[in-house]
Amino acid sequence: MSATPTRRMVGVMVLIPVLVALALWAFAWPAARTAPRDVPIGIAGPASATARLEQGFEQREGAFDVHRYDDEAAARTAIEGRVVYGAVVATAEGPRLLTASAASPVVAQLLTEAVTSQAPAGTQVHATDVVPTPAGDPRGSALAASILPLALAGMAAGAVVTLMKLRGARAATALIGAAALVGITAAALADSWLGVLGGPWWSEAGVLGLTVLAIGAAVSGLAALIGTPGLGLGGLLMVLIGNPFSGAASAPELLPDPAGLIGQWLPPGAGATLLRSVSYFDGSAAGSAVLTLSLWAALGLAAVLVGGRRRRGRPVATAEHRAAEPVPVG
């Protein structure tokens, strides 16, 4: 057995466990360390009535970021604008809880448990879901489950464009066209058929398509710049890290630091946040997610175009060089 096949054999034996360990870390670590970390919530009512409620939340150090509002109307506006995940309103009858399960069913449940545990014995906590999940997805699980297929679709688009050796403008056009068709198809399935999304149809299709384009362009752009290893790097970023760090199944504020922040910088997390905003909150707090996805898409497409020009230039230069070489006689 030659040295090269032996090294390859050993490399495979070592690489596979490393990849498995990385995947388990990326997926299991955030799930095992899920807990509230500076989750923005609101407290509404006069200071004399909310002091006890505020003190109860502050006792859970680092868990909640408390925002104060004058009344219930202001708290509802903050929830609908995605400033806070929920709010507690102090009333003469006792605390009234406002949640938004569409923002995160997990956070809504945590708030319910936190407020109920703080309420005096015998006091009933009245809860209102200000922005509920749609009837087709009451637990919000379908939206969370859609992020991995979008990541895989973007990964597949980038890989196919690379392996089919499409370059420059043709590669960029293929990525944009594939992403647009995926967005339309996904919206037709998730909104029109399953009823798990409740926003403007074309806006949802645009979000889904932009998410796929950001991932596909990034993967193909990396491959155009550094070659085939770029596909592996793209898969690592978008699938093994981007998907579990997205916070789609819970909330970015429930993930251990810095996973939640990193997840929002990557297309899967930004796509999940933007899809929630467009589908359930009339586009509120969508700016940062739009910017993140647009930057990934633009930089990826730019890399595809630049990489295509570089690759086209190499054969030409080689041909010119060969033409300039003297032809041997005899």
Side-chain angles (χ1 to χ4, degrees), residues 4 36 120 126 212 216 231 291 316-317 328:
T4 299
H126 298 278
V212 172
L231 297 179
L291 178 61
V316 173

Side-chain angles (χ1 to χ4, degrees), residues 178-193 201 205 208:
L181 291 175
V182 169
I184 292 172
T185 303
L189 292 173
D191 189 318
S192 304
W193 180 42
W201 197 95
L208 295 166

